[in-house]
Amino acid sequence: MLEPREGIPPVIADEAALARTIAAFEAGSGPVAVDAERASGYRYGQRAYLVQLRRQGAGTALIDPVACPDLSALGEALSGVEWVLHAATQDLPCLREIGMVPTRLFDTELAGRLAGFPRVGLGAMVEGVLGFVLEKGHSAVDWSTRPLPEPWLRYAALDVELLVDLRDALEKELDRQGKLEWARQEFDAIASAPPPEPRKDPWRRTSGMHKVRRRRQLAVVRELWQTRDRIAQRRDVSPGKVLGDAAIVEAALAIPANVHALAALNGFGHRMSKRQLEQWQAAVDRAKALSEAHLPQPGQPVTGPPPPRAWADKDPAAAARLSAARAGVSALAEELSMPQENLMTPDTVRRVCWEPPAVVDAESVAAALAGYGARPWQVELVTPVLVEALSAKEA
């Protein structure tokens, strides 16, 4: 499929056109296909730079959320309507920022996982389920570009062209497999989930951090990361375009004494101006000046069980429980033709195995799983497997 059925619609970039679109989509029928394009790797943050919608009776709309940053009226007009998204958790944060929050949804990627499809990308799903090959190739472009080139708009419109058709086919397949109610519980959980908490100490996720061991070096990573983040935010560019993670780690390991030493490191080479070098060296110097009490601790505070590789030494019985539980969950997932992380998150399995209920029975294990956020269908299926794994190792 190379062209949308009604051609490429004009981009909506003013209030009058937006009002007409809202009226048309409110008057439409059935589910609404929704997608958003971000400029990951180009811009700071994960904001939406294009929103695509399609609904029967309304056709396809391409909305510029830079020109129309408040789409809450559109969100309200579609309240109660089922939104069809592919990999919903990727798009929901940027849609929420502009006032679009679904009350009901259908996630075609997650539906594909539950139904046992080996490849769940949109292109692969549309081809495998509907027999259409979508024109792909613009997913990683800079969607903050204005005006957006026509080939990109064509690609964006095609992303929602067949989404409702795909939804309908997947619903039939899930129903045939007896998994439709499971999928509905998953979709409801996504729709009702609160926004994620801001990540604590995001600088610790710098790529290559495993090489950084000493507290003073950790302080250098933190100062450079925070300086880079402020610059990236101010310039509205991806942090990686300001300074690479590898350069941050290199500077942390070397702790250069001055600008001259810093300039000799990889990532701080000849293309960097003296002023830029001075600002990075100032961050290094701030870390060097910190007292011992203000240096970051190695590793993050652990909430929950230790890494599984440490279990055999710390608690051999727990390690045996985990091994049995993993084998049982894996076998059940294979039997149900779905990835085991969709049957039950590995973190939940680890937590129950590390600290099992005082009395291991169906009721206590089910309560533990529900307490960690497992959905009723997961609790029902996995409880017997875990009861067996925990009981066998207690004996």
Side-chain angles (χ1 to χ4, degrees):
M1 179 168 272
L2 299 175
E3 284 286 335
R5 278 171 276 201
E6 298 102 24
I8 304 168
V11 176
I12 292 145
D14 62 67
E15 292 305 317
L18 180 60
R20 290 193 295 273
T21 300
I22 291 170
F25 273 80
E26 194 167 20
S29 61
V32 58
V34 182
D35 190 26
E37 304 296 347
R38 299 176 299 281
S40 306
Y42 297 94
R43 295 288 179 175
Y44 185 86
Q46 292 295 312
R47 67 174 291 187
Y49 283 95
L50 188 70
V51 175
Q52 307 101 279
L53 302 101
R54 183 174 178 83
R55 192 179 190 197
Q56 193 172 338
T60 297
L62 303 178
I63 303 173
D64 178 357
V66 178
C68 302
D70 181 5
L71 299 185
S72 53
L74 176 59
E76 284 160 22
L78 296 171
S79 179
V81 175
E82 182 187 84
W83 296 21
V84 184
L85 298 105
H86 192 80
T89 53
Q90 290 180 22
D91 286 341
L92 288 177
C94 71
L95 290 169
R96 186 181 278 115
E97 277 181 16
I98 51 178
M100 294 185 66
V101 183
T103 51
R104 295 168 52 216
L105 65 82
F106 189 108
D107 184 333
T108 49
E109 187 208 43
L110 183 50
R113 289 180 187 280
L114 295 174
F117 285 86
R119 292 164 62 225
V120 292
L122 181 60
M125 295 281 287
V126 165
E127 188 173 349
V129 177
L130 302 177
F132 284 97
V133 178
L134 286 180
E135 186 201 15
K136 301 302 282 182
H138 298 297
S139 59
V141 297
D142 181 2
W143 287 94
S144 69
T145 302
R146 292 296 182 272
L148 285 163
E150 187 176 286
W152 300 10
L153 295 173
R154 180 182 298 109
Y155 160 89
L158 286 171
D159 262 2
V160 290
E161 182 78 16
L162 296 168
L163 213 45
V164 172
D165 297 332
L166 180 61
R167 172 234 176 272
D168 292 345
L170 287 170
E171 184 179 59
K172 285 197 185 92
E173 180 59 23
L174 287 166
D175 194 30
R176 187 187 70 77
Q177 294 185 24
K179 297 175 179 175
L180 186 55
E181 176 54 30
W182 306 354
R184 285 180 177 142
Q185 288 180 27
E186 291 299 299
F187 303 154
D188 287 347
I190 295 170
S192 61
E197 292 285 320
R199 188 170 268 133
K200 192 177 186 301
D201 292 347
W203 58 271
R204 290 185 185 271
R205 294 178 67 83
T206 304
S207 184
M209 276 293 282
H210 61 281
K211 301 176 196 167
V212 182
R213 300 288 166 81
R214 302 205 318 265
R215 290 176 67 200
R216 185 73 57 188
Q217 294 173 329
L218 290 171
V220 173
V221 172
R222 181 174 66 185
E223 285 294 335
L224 286 170
W225 190 97
Q226 290 173 346
T227 301
R228 176 182 73 172
D229 197 61
R230 285 192 295 271
I231 294 166
Q233 193 166 5
R234 188 179 72 240
R235 287 171 44 193
D236 190 17
V237 294
S238 166
K241 289 192 177 298
V242 176
L243 186 69
D245 279 9
I248 289 179
V249 170
E250 186 99 0
L253 296 175
I255 313 188
N258 51 42
V259 167
H260 181 71
L262 181 70
L265 299 176
N266 286 335
F268 296 92
H270 59 279
R271 285 184 300 175
M272 200 170 274
S273 70
K274 184 167 182 286
R275 188 183 65 78
Q276 287 173 312
L277 285 168
E278 284 170 351
Q279 92 191 344
W280 300 126
Q281 185 61 42
V284 173
D285 292 342
R286 285 194 298 276
K288 282 158 71 175
L290 289 173
S291 68
E292 285 289 322
H294 290 99
L295 294 177
Q297 293 296 332
Q300 288 172 287
V302 176
T303 56
R309 63 180 177 275
W311 286 30
D313 291 332
K314 288 179 185 287
D315 187 340
R321 289 193 293 268
L322 181 63
S323 178
R326 280 174 162 173
V329 171
S330 176
L332 180 57
E334 197 168 328
E335 193 183 311
L336 296 168
S337 300
M338 71 170 69
Q340 60 190 66
E341 63 270 20
N342 290 110
L343 175 59
M344 185 61 67
T345 66
D347 181 65
T348 298
V349 174
R350 283 195 294 271
R351 286 172 186 268
V352 173
C353 289
W354 184 251
E355 286 189 71
V359 177
V360 174
D361 59 23
E363 192 177 344
S364 65
V365 171
L369 292 174
Y372 291 125
R375 265 68 72 193
W377 74 272
Q378 294 174 312
V379 173
E380 185 183 334
L381 288 167
V382 175
T383 292
V385 173
L386 289 188
V387 168
E388 186 180 338
L390 298 174
S391 303
K393 299 302 160 186
E394 295 299 325

